[in-house]
């Protein structure tokens, strides 16, 4: 079957399930690039490093400017993710992260608190998928005050067929027809905003700007200072970036296109093999994309009109299997785009450096343990703040990868991590009540299921059994004359080189 027939079959399949015309045309554009053999790579020879980035904490934004911009700002959260990497089959935003509070609870709390404090409307709009919409909207019923007149609570992300790798026809998978579909990546944001009518609704309701971020990143809370900075730049698009560490070598990062000086987002999948060393050089390419974006909605609407509702975002080709849990299933190609890639379409695009307090994504149970632990506190405005430098956590994926496995091994909640530099667990360990990790805490694989006892401490040499209360009198002073009490050794933000990374820009929004 010819490639053109493959495209016709794909378009028919999308039409049959009601995919909007703009989304079909966006898919068609990418399909043609596949036919031409495009891999979507961005050569190191064609770019130069991003430098001279303003720092958020050094911005001079007058209060009245911040207030005016914030009053014209909407919050958009990408909420299509199912948390499949943790074995979750519902919206990740409904996962409890602090006590009974879910991501969605804390996001709603952040928005409502910001409204009350600053006297603004600040609508919250979710980009859901077909698989997250029903549960999410039901959960939002607990917050009737979130509704803003004239602004929908959500809009739907689109979907597209997975393509057979051998002939680019839509794959068929009778065992689970849902697996025949995939999300188009979060670059679908722009098509979905137009096709749903939400872009027009926001502008009609008087909103000029939008803050966009992932629902699993509680660090990206509504920020009037950032809104004021963005409005003051006059830019149509801005990205929040952060300093890369060795753990971020494989993540999406921003570069400058040598031919025209425009900012460009280069994802891991867009790096050719011969450029991997240069792209991973964090001293050369210093900033990664946090996926926290700022949009001028008027400028975006004009750009979309110019391109008939389909922005020419760069292709990201993802080669996978139709069943991601079965490596022997049919090889497929997924065509995707990244929402951050729109930065290259604006000649005045801006960037701002933020610290990692605005980048707290939860992609794995390692991240979840940190967020649930005493390293973080949730304040009255539902914002999340670290009390100590974040320790490095690496739980054995053979026993802690899925949420079910993770919760079974922390039945009493997470251990204390405020005195930890790191926590590395190998093997099948279950943690008791009031466990503490101290320093470079490590548990070796005992070869069989094992228990960390209640009140125990985990250190560099494993478990230290809890001492009886009578053995350590409260008044005993361990400090020698002139000796300073030991302090918590703050963990560097640079995890060891061989640890994996999970950048938000590398994980497509789940359909």
């Amino acid at each position: 079957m010819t490639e053109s027939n493959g495209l016709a079959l794909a378009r028919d399949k999308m039409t049959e399930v009601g995919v909007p015309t703009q989304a079909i045309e966006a898919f068609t554009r990418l399909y043609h690039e596949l036919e031409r053999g495009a891999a979507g790579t961005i050569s190191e020879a064609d770019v130069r490093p991003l430098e001279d980035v303003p720092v958020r904490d050094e911005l001079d934004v007058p209060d009245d400017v911040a207030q005016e911009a914030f009053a014209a700002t909407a919050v958009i959260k990408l909420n299509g993710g199912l948390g499949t990497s943790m074995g979750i089959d519902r919206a990740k935003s409904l996962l409890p992260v602090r006590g009974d509070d879910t991501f969605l609870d804390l996001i709603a709390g952040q928005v409502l608190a910001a409204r009350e404090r600053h006297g603004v409307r600040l609508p919250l709009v979710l980009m859901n998928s077909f698989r997250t919409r029903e549960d999410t909207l039901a959960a939002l019923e607990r917050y009737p005050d979130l509704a803003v007149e004239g602004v929908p609570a959500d809009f739907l992300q689109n979907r597209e067929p997975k393509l057979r790798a051998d002939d680019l026809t839509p794959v068929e998978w009778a065992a689970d027809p849902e697996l025949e579909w995939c999300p188009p990546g979060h670059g679908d944001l722009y098509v979905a905003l137009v096709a749903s009518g939400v872009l027009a609704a926001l502008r009609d309701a008087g909103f000029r700007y939008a803050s966009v971020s992932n629902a699993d990143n509680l660090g990206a809370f509504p920020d009037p200072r950032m809104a004021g900075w963005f409005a003051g730049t006059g830019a149509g698009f801005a990205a929040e970036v952060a300093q890369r560490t060795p753990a971020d070598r494989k993540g999406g990062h921003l570069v400058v296109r040598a031919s025209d000086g425009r900012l460009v987002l280069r994802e891991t999948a867009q790096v050719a093999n011969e450029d991997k060393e240069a792209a991973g050089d964090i001293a050369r390419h210093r900033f990664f994309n946090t996926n926290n974006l700022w949009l001028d909605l008027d400028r975006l609407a004009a750009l979309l009109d110019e391109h008939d509702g389909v922005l020419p975002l760069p292709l990201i080709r993802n080669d996978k299997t139709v069943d991601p849990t079965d490596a022997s299933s049919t090889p497929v190609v997924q065509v995707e785009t990244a929402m951050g890639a729109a930065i290259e379409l604006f000649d005045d695009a801006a960037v701002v450096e933020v610290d990692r307090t605005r980048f707290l994504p939860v992609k794995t149970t390692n991240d979840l343990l940190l967020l649930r632990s005493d390293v973080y506190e949730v304040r009255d405005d539902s914002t999340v703040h670290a009390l100590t430098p974040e320790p490095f956590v690496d739980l054995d994926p053979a026993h802690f990868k899925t949420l079910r496995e993770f919760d079974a091994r922390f039945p009493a909640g997470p251990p204390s991590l405020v005195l930890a530099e790191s926590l590395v667990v190998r093997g099948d360990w279950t943690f008791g009540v009031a466990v503490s990790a101290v320093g470079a805490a490590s548990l070796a694989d005992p070869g069989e299921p094992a228990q960390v006892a209640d009140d125990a401490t985990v250190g560099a040499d494993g478990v230290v059994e809890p001492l009886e209360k009578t053995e350590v009198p409260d008044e005993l002073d361990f400090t020698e004359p002139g000796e300073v009490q030991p302090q918590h050794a703050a963990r560097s933000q640079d995890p060891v080189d061989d640890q994996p990374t999970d950048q938000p820009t590398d994980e497509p929004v789940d359909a």
Side-chain angles (χ1 to χ4, degrees):
M1 184 171 290
T2 67
E3 291 175 342
S4 58
N5 282 342
L7 176 57
L9 289 172
R11 288 176 60 96
D12 288 346
K13 187 170 184 174
M14 297 173 78
T15 301
E16 288 172 4
V17 298
V19 175
T21 300
Q22 296 96 325
I24 295 175
E25 294 307 316
F27 172 84
T28 298
R29 183 184 68 82
L30 296 174
Y31 191 99
H32 286 314
E33 291 193 28
L34 277 180
E35 286 183 317
R36 291 193 294 268
T41 55
I42 299 174
S43 172
E44 182 70 18
D46 295 331
V47 302
R48 62 176 187 264
L50 172 64
E51 298 175 340
D52 301 324
V53 177
V55 180
R56 177 200 176 277
D57 292 342
E58 299 174 2
L59 299 176
D60 182 14
V61 181
D63 289 344
D64 59 335
V65 172
Q67 177 67 22
E68 181 179 359
F70 206 42
T73 296
V75 173
I76 298 175
K77 293 286 185 178
L78 306 190
N79 192 53
L82 295 175
T84 51
S85 62
M86 293 188 287
I88 305 170
D89 61 359
R90 64 191 304 224
K92 187 197 295 184
S93 63
L94 301 182
L95 174 65
V97 289
R98 299 291 300 190
D100 293 331
D101 284 339
T102 66
F103 287 101
L104 191 61
D105 290 324
L106 294 177
I107 290 169
Q110 290 175 0
V111 170
L112 292 172
R115 286 183 189 176
E116 182 176 358
R117 179 177 180 182
H118 299 283
V120 294
R121 290 182 292 166
L122 196 68
L124 171 64
V125 184
L126 304 177
M127 184 169 82
N128 279 314
S129 69
F130 287 96
R131 297 177 67 182
T132 64
R133 186 177 212 179
E134 184 176 349
D135 288 346
T136 297
L137 294 182
L140 281 180
E141 291 177 1
R142 298 196 300 271
Y143 302 98
D145 292 343
L146 271 177
V148 171
E149 185 176 357
V151 179
D154 83 322
F155 60 102
L156 277 176
Q157 177 190 20
N158 296 299
R159 54 177 173 165
E160 65 189 22
K162 298 176 183 178
L163 304 172
R164 291 179 59 95
D166 54 3
D167 62 7
L168 298 186
T169 60
V171 71
E172 295 183 3
W173 197 246
D176 185 355
E178 281 296 313
L179 292 178
E180 297 174 7
W181 297 91
C182 64
H186 39 61
D188 181 60
L189 168 72
Y190 309 108
V191 171
L193 276 171
V194 173
S196 65
V198 168
L199 179 58
L202 285 169
R203 296 176 67 214
D204 289 345
F207 295 99
R208 174 72 182 271
Y209 309 109
S211 168
V212 185
S213 58
N214 294 341
D216 69 353
N217 179 13
L218 292 173
F221 55 82
D223 185 345
R225 192 158 176 243
M226 287 289 295
W229 165 79
F230 177 58
T233 66
F237 185 106
E240 297 181 28
V241 300
Q243 292 275 354
R244 296 172 83 192
T245 70
D248 306 313
R249 290 179 305 164
K250 297 180 181 180
H253 55 281
L254 288 171
V255 294
V256 179
R257 190 160 55 204
S259 62
D260 58 10
R262 292 206 178 196
L263 295 168
V264 174
L265 172 64
R266 180 166 64 173
E267 300 282 12
T268 300
Q270 295 171 297
V271 177
N273 287 333
E274 61 269 23
D275 291 332
K276 288 189 183 300
E277 183 176 353
D281 183 351
I282 64 174
R284 174 174 171 78
H285 296 294
R286 297 188 295 126
F287 300 100
F288 74 84
N289 175 37
T290 66
N291 233 28
N292 302 342
L293 307 179
W294 292 83
L295 306 175
D296 181 319
L297 299 178
D298 290 349
R299 294 280 302 280
L300 176 62
L303 186 64
L304 284 161
D305 285 344
E306 180 183 339
H307 293 281
D308 297 322
V310 180
L311 297 186
L313 300 178
L315 165 73
I316 300 175
R317 172 177 175 147
N318 257 333
D319 291 286
K320 299 190 175 185
T321 55
V322 63
D323 183 346
T325 66
D326 181 1
S328 67
S329 61
T330 305
V332 297
V333 175
Q334 296 179 198
V335 292
E336 301 174 3
T337 58
M339 68 178 184
I343 195 168
E344 68 181 72
L345 304 179
F346 294 85
D347 57 7
D348 59 354
V351 292
V352 61
E353 180 185 341
V354 298
D355 62 34
R356 295 214 172 205
T357 60
R358 288 189 64 79
F359 180 66
L360 302 176
V362 175
K363 305 299 179 187
T364 68
T365 53
N366 297 332
D367 304 325
L368 183 60
L369 184 68
L370 277 169
L371 191 58
R372 287 182 175 179
S373 78
D374 55 359
V375 169
Y376 289 96
E377 69 170 3
V378 177
R379 297 182 180 170
D380 290 343
D381 60 1
S382 294
T383 57
V384 179
H385 299 268
L387 300 177
T388 67
E390 187 180 87
F392 171 69
V393 172
D394 185 14
L395 304 175
D396 192 332
H399 301 285
F400 293 86
K401 182 176 181 179
T402 69
L403 182 64
R404 182 177 180 180
E405 293 169 330
F406 173 86
D407 284 341
R409 287 163 177 79
F410 294 106
S416 172
L417 297 177
V418 291
L419 297 180
E421 299 172 24
S422 59
L423 173 63
V424 178
V425 179
R426 289 294 174 265
D428 188 0
W429 288 91
T430 297
F431 287 66
V433 178
V435 173
S436 298
V438 176
S442 179
L443 290 172
D445 188 349
E448 60 183 3
Q451 178 86 23
V452 181
D454 295 351
D455 301 309
T457 296
V458 179
D461 298 322
V463 179
V464 178
E465 294 299 329
L467 299 174
E468 296 293 336
K469 296 291 186 182
T470 55
E471 293 182 25
V472 186
D474 292 339
E475 67 273 12
L476 189 60
D477 185 359
F478 290 97
T479 309
E480 296 294 332
E483 180 185 0
V484 177
Q485 285 280 13
Q487 299 294 313
H488 167 42
R491 185 183 75 83
S492 166
Q493 293 298 329
D494 301 346
V496 293
D497 285 355
D498 61 351
Q499 297 305 324
T501 184
D502 195 349
Q503 295 293 346
T505 50
D506 288 335
E507 179 179 288
V509 182
D510 294 328

